[in-house]
Amino acid sequence: MELMNRFCPRILSACFVLILFMAPVANGQDMIEHPLTDLDGFQAPADNWRIVGAIEADRHGVADIQTTDGDGILLNMPSDGARENLFTMWEHGDIELSFEFMMPKGSNSGVYLQGRYEIQLFDSWGVPNPTYSDAGGIYQRWDPARNEGERGYQGHPPSMNVSRAPGLWQDFYILFQAPRFDAEGRKVSNAKMVKVAQNGVVIHENVELTGPTRAAGFSDEQALAPIMIQGDHGPVALRNIRYNLHLPAAAEDEKPPRFVPAIHVEPTSEAEVIRGFVNHDGAKKTRTISVGDPDGVHYVMDSAQGAVLYAWKGRFIETTDMWHSRGTQQLAVPRGSVLTFSGRPAVARLESDSIVWPDSMGADYVFKGYDLDADSRPSFHYTMSDVTITDRLLPGDNGRQLEREIVVSGDDSGSSEIWVLVAAATTISEGDDGVFRMEGNTYYLELLDSGGGEAIIRALDEGEELLVPVSLSDGSATVRYALIW
C-alpha cells in the first residue's frame, strides 16, 4: 500500500467563472431586538402562538415538539381550532432582518416581508435539488386567471440547499428593499431581495419581486407594512429576531470590488483531495487536506494535529486565492454552511480523566500520509509513540451526515490511558434518544461505537468535552461517531 504524503497532481474539476468579491454576509450591528418575553409586539395573536423558554423538535417525528416554560422563543403550534398567521405591531419599508428558526420533521412555514413577499421555511434536510418551495426559496406568485399549469410563476429556488436537520437551529439574514412609489402612489420600482443568507451562505442576491407571493397577507403593495409569520401550515419556532428599519451602509474599510477569475472545485464521480492552507480560529493552518465528496458532505483535516477543522454541506471549495496568481493568503475557502470544530488532536494519552486535553500533538506524533480507496476517499494514518491510528471520514445516510472512524492499534502497557476526543463544544447534552445535542442544538452527534469504553462529558472553564477511553487489550479499538446536521 503506497501512502500519499505529498501533493498528488490529479486533474481537478475547476470551474472558472467571473465573480465579484463581496462584503461580509452580515452587518448586523446595532440591530433592534424584537422582545420575546410576551406576545405584546404582535397584532392580536391567536391561540396557536405562545412564548416558551426552551424547545426540542424531533428530527424523526412529524410535528413532535417538547417545550419548557420561560421566554425568548416564539412558537407556533397550529391546531384545528387555531392556525392563524402572526403580524408584527411595527411596520417596515427597507429592512435588515435576522432571525433563527427551528422546526420538526416535515414542517412548513414562512416569513413574509411586508406581509407580502415570502422567504420559505421548510424541512428541506437532504433535498438534493431545492425548488422555490424549499427552505430559503422565494415562494412563487399565483394567478388563478392563468391557464392550468401556468398559475404559479416567478418562484426563486435558493442557489444551494444549506438546510440543517429538523430539531436544529438555523439562521437567516435578509436585506430587503421595499417597492418605491411616486407622489401619486404609482409604483416606480419593484421590491427586491437584495441579499438572503441561510446558515451563513448567500442563497439570493438582487432578486426583483414584481408583486406579492402566494398566500400573502395582502394582495396590494405598500411602502410600509408589518412582517407576517405563517401560522396555518406547520409548527415552527423563532428566536433572536433582530432588525434595522433601513439597509446597512457599506463599511468604511470595505475594499473596492474587483473582478478575478474564480476557481471552484467540485467533486463529480469521485472525491477530490486538495492540500493547501486554511484559516481556522484566526490562524493559518498550513498542513491541511480538504476533502470534497460527490455526496455533498465535505471536511478539512489538519494533518499536523490529526484534527478535523471544518465540515460542511453544499458546494465544495474555492481555491482562487491559492491558484490565481499565487494569491497573498493562498487560502482555500469552503463554499457551504460550515460547522467549526476545536482543532485539537483526536487521540491522546491522559494520566486521568481530569487532565487537560492537549492543544497540539507531542513530539512523538508522526503523520504517515494517507491512502485512497476506489472512490478516492482518503484514510489518514499517523503514529503516536507506541500506537498507530487510522482515521477515516465517510458520508452517511445519503449525504445527511459525516461518519468518522478512528482505529487505535498497539500496546496497552503504557502508564497512561488512551482517550479519544469525540467533540469539544460550548454545550453538550445527551437526549433521551442517546444522541448528543451540540452547541445548543446546532448539530447532532451520535456515538455509533465507543470502542468498549464509556463516554463521559466533562466540564471545562469554557465549554465541555465528550471523551471516550479506549482499551487495547485486544490489540486495537475502534471509535465511530456521526455528525448530523
Side-chain angles (χ1 to χ4, degrees):
M1 177 177 63
E2 180 181 358
L3 302 184
M4 298 183 180
N5 201 12
R6 59 186 177 84
F7 176 75
C8 181
R10 301 171 56 226
I11 298 175
L12 301 175
S13 57
C15 174
F16 292 83
V17 296
L18 203 63
I19 68 164
L20 176 65
F21 279 84
M22 303 296 294
V25 166
N27 181 301
Q29 296 179 356
D30 302 321
M31 295 178 77
I32 301 166
E33 183 164 1
H34 183 103
L36 294 177
T37 53
D38 52 41
L39 293 172
D40 288 352
F42 300 99
Q43 302 178 32
D47 289 343
N48 50 302
W49 294 97
R50 59 192 175 105
I51 300 294
V52 299
I55 185 170
E56 286 283 337
D58 193 343
R59 65 188 168 101
H60 300 297
V62 175
D64 187 356
I65 286 182
Q66 306 297 321
T67 64
T68 302
D69 290 343
D71 57 39
I73 297 173
L74 173 67
L75 175 63
N76 173 47
M77 287 294 291
S79 65
D80 290 340
R83 46 192 322 109
E84 299 299 321
N85 300 327
L86 186 68
F87 295 84
T88 59
M89 293 290 290
W90 47 269
E91 297 184 328
H92 72 92
D94 294 353
I95 191 172
E96 177 186 22
L97 175 69
S98 68
F99 61 90
E100 296 175 68
F101 80 97
M102 178 195 291
M103 53 178 38
K105 179 180 178 180
S107 197
N108 179 1
S109 185
V111 170
Y112 289 73
L113 284 301
Q114 294 195 317
R116 291 166 169 83
Y117 316 100
E118 182 185 12
I119 293 294
Q120 176 80 332
L121 306 183
F122 198 80
D123 171 21
S124 298
W125 185 40
V127 173
N129 299 302
T131 71
Y132 67 86
S133 62
D134 282 295
I138 300 172
Y139 210 79
Q140 67 178 359
R141 301 192 64 199
W142 185 260
D143 185 354
R146 288 187 169 212
N147 294 329
E148 185 74 28
E150 299 177 356
R151 292 169 183 169
Y153 62 104
Q154 292 182 356
H156 300 274
S159 61
M160 71 175 84
N161 184 11
V162 292
S163 293
R164 295 185 176 173
L168 297 179
W169 285 108
Q170 308 187 59
D171 63 79
F172 270 100
Y173 175 79
I174 300 169
L175 298 181
F176 170 81
Q177 180 176 294
R180 302 297 198 252
F181 301 87
D182 63 17
E184 284 73 40
R186 292 185 296 265
K187 188 172 73 168
V188 295
S189 64
N190 290 321
K192 181 188 293 186
M193 295 291 183
V194 177
K195 183 177 292 186
V196 179
Q198 182 184 359
N199 297 326
V201 177
V202 176
I203 56 173
H204 296 289
E205 284 191 285
N206 296 318
V207 178
E208 284 206 26
L209 309 170
T210 61
T213 58
R214 190 176 186 182
F218 311 93
S219 59
D220 65 346
E221 293 184 280
Q222 296 289 335
L224 296 172
I227 295 284
M228 184 185 91
I229 307 171
Q230 193 172 54
D232 61 348
H233 281 40
V236 65
L238 291 91
R239 69 178 185 184
N240 295 328
I241 303 171
R242 297 185 173 94
Y243 63 94
N244 275 323
L245 297 179
H246 56 78
L247 295 179
E252 293 181 2
D253 58 353
E254 183 181 332
K255 295 180 180 179
R258 61 188 179 95
F259 286 93
V260 300
I263 307 172
H264 296 160
V265 180
E266 295 296 335
T268 52
S269 60
E270 59 183 21
E272 295 286 2
V273 181
I274 298 178
R275 301 189 66 163
F277 302 163
V278 170
N279 255 340
H280 180 266
D281 196 24
K284 182 187 290 185
K285 303 293 185 178
T286 59
R287 293 177 58 187
T288 64
I289 302 167
S290 300
V291 181
D293 199 276
D295 282 357
V297 58
H298 322 297
Y299 66 92
V300 175
M301 172 70 75
D302 183 3
S303 65
Q305 304 297 340
V308 177
L309 302 180
Y310 300 114
W312 68 99
K313 296 177 184 175
R315 294 174 185 150
F316 177 36
I317 206 163
E318 181 179 338
T319 58
T320 311
D321 202 43
M322 290 172 59
W323 296 342
H324 175 71
S325 300
R326 304 301 293 172
T328 304
Q329 295 296 316
Q330 300 184 13
L331 296 171
V333 180
R335 298 186 65 210
S337 177
V338 177
L339 298 180
T340 301
F341 307 113
S342 69
R344 281 178 264 172
V347 182
R349 282 192 178 273
L350 302 178
E351 297 291 339
S352 72
D353 61 12
S354 63
I355 299 298
V356 175
W357 195 267
D359 288 330
S360 59
M361 282 292 197
D364 60 349
Y365 166 80
V366 179
F367 179 65
K368 305 297 266 186
Y370 59 88
D371 58 79
L372 303 177
D373 67 10
D375 296 315
S376 294
R377 293 166 172 152
S379 294
F380 303 95
H381 305 274
Y382 49 97
T383 60
M384 188 184 70
S385 186
D386 52 352
V387 299
T388 62
I389 295 105
T390 298
D391 198 345
R392 181 170 170 80
L393 294 98
L394 295 172
D397 192 18
N398 296 315
R400 290 184 170 188
Q401 62 193 43
L402 181 63
E403 298 178 5
R404 188 178 190 185
E405 179 183 82
I406 299 172
V407 180
V408 184
S409 307
D411 186 2
D412 201 22
S413 62
S415 59
S416 54
E417 195 171 15
I418 298 173
W419 291 77
V420 171
L421 175 63
V422 177
T426 306
T427 60
I428 302 174
S429 61
E430 186 173 4
D432 294 338
D433 55 0
V435 176
F436 296 93
R437 276 69 171 162
M438 313 297 294
E439 302 284 8
N441 286 57
T442 299
Y443 65 98
Y444 301 111
L445 189 151
E446 183 173 4
L447 191 57
L448 305 173
D449 187 345
S450 65
E454 184 175 352
I456 65 168
I457 298 174
R458 66 176 189 177
L460 308 173
D461 291 338
E462 295 183 2
E464 296 176 305
E465 290 176 336
L466 179 61
L467 303 180
V468 175
V470 296
S471 170
L472 299 183
S473 57
D474 295 330
S476 67
T478 300
V479 174
R480 292 178 56 241
Y481 62 88
L483 302 169
I484 305 165
W485 75 101

